[in-house]
């Protein structure tokens, strides 16, 4: 079975690697110490501290495995020429209804964080913007109806 490629900016890739290193070098040791302390308490059959530590260890190992898979299957995206919206582009758009400018970075779904202005290439807005150029108006289907955005600027 072929695993899905994970689209990441270089910054997003570095953050995943940093998190993986932290989990392997710091959190694993902390959980192992907690497990060791719980075992020292004695009778494991009725030791809730041991059960909690084992559950935490299993969760941690699952998270490590997930990060390793994402990193292994990642494609680092690079912004295009600044003339056309591509993954990795920072795009400033004007909401034509409210006459407000917003800036978004187009990223893969793993990195998407609307609070930080990072939108997925798979989101309705991300899909509408990809391949477009400055001054183009895009229509985005949203729960509130169709929203029109005019592309004001594209940066690498």
């Amino acid at each position: 079975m072929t695993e899905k490629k994970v689209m990441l900016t270089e910054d997003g890739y570095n953050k995943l690697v940093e998190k993986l290193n932290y989990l392997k070098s710091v959190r694993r040791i902390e959980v192992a110490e907690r497990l060791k302390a719980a075992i020292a308490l004695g009778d494991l059959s009725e030791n809730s501290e041991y059960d909690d530590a084992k559950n935490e260890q299993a969760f941690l190992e699952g998270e490590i495995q997930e990060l390793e898979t994402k990193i292994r299957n990642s494609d680092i995206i690079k912004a295009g020429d600044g003339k056309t919206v591509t993954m990795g582009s920072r795009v400033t758009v004007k909401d034509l209804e409210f006459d407000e400018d917003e800036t978004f970075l187009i990223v893969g779904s793993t990195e998407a964080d609307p609070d930080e202005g990072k939108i997925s290439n798979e989101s309705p807005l991300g899909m509408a913007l990809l391949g477009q150029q400055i001054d183009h108006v895009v229509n985005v289907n949203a729960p509130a109806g169709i929203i029109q955005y005019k592309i004001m600027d594209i940066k690498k």
Side-chain angles (χ1 to χ4, degrees):
M1 184 169 122
T2 310
E3 292 182 348
K4 182 181 175 188
K5 283 290 183 190
V6 178
M7 306 300 285
L8 294 168
T9 61
E10 192 169 343
D11 185 46
Y13 176 84
N14 291 337
K15 285 180 181 176
L16 284 184
V17 169
E18 185 179 308
K19 183 175 182 181
L20 178 63
N21 289 336
Y22 169 76
L23 293 178
K24 285 179 154 183
S25 63
V26 176
R27 287 294 297 143
R28 256 189 187 157
I29 293 168
E30 291 172 351
V31 171
E33 289 297 322
R34 184 172 171 215
L35 196 54
K36 186 177 174 182
I39 290 170
L41 294 175
D43 187 10
L44 299 181
S45 65
E46 295 181 19
N47 187 335
S48 65
E49 190 61 34
Y50 174 76
D51 290 340
D52 287 345
K54 285 298 285 178
N55 287 337
E56 185 177 0
Q57 182 184 44
F59 179 79
L60 175 65
E61 293 304 320
E63 191 173 5
I64 288 171
Q65 193 173 39
E66 182 181 327
L67 286 172
E68 287 174 336
T69 300
K70 284 181 180 178
I71 290 168
R72 183 176 51 251
N73 293 313
S74 65
D75 271 348
I76 307 296
I77 55 176
K78 302 241 187 266
D81 57 10
K83 295 178 182 176
T84 302
V85 178
T86 62
M87 291 200 41
S89 294
R90 187 168 300 281
V91 185
T92 301
V93 296
K94 180 181 287 288
D95 181 326
L96 295 179
E97 182 180 354
F98 296 104
D99 195 36
E100 294 176 348
D101 286 357
E102 294 181 74
T103 301
F104 301 102
L105 177 63
I106 311 292
V107 297
S109 59
T110 300
E111 269 184 277
D113 185 349
D115 292 338
E116 289 186 15
K118 296 178 180 179
I119 61 168
S120 168
N121 63 311
E122 298 172 9
S123 70
L125 179 56
M127 288 190 295
L129 291 173
L130 286 174
Q132 304 302 324
Q133 297 179 339
I134 293 176
D135 289 333
H136 188 83
V137 175
V138 296
N139 296 316
V140 179
N141 289 321
I146 294 177
I147 302 172
Q148 290 190 313
Y149 293 100
K150 181 177 182 180
I151 300 173
M152 305 305 289
D153 190 33
I154 303 168
K155 290 189 176 19
K156 295 187 203 183

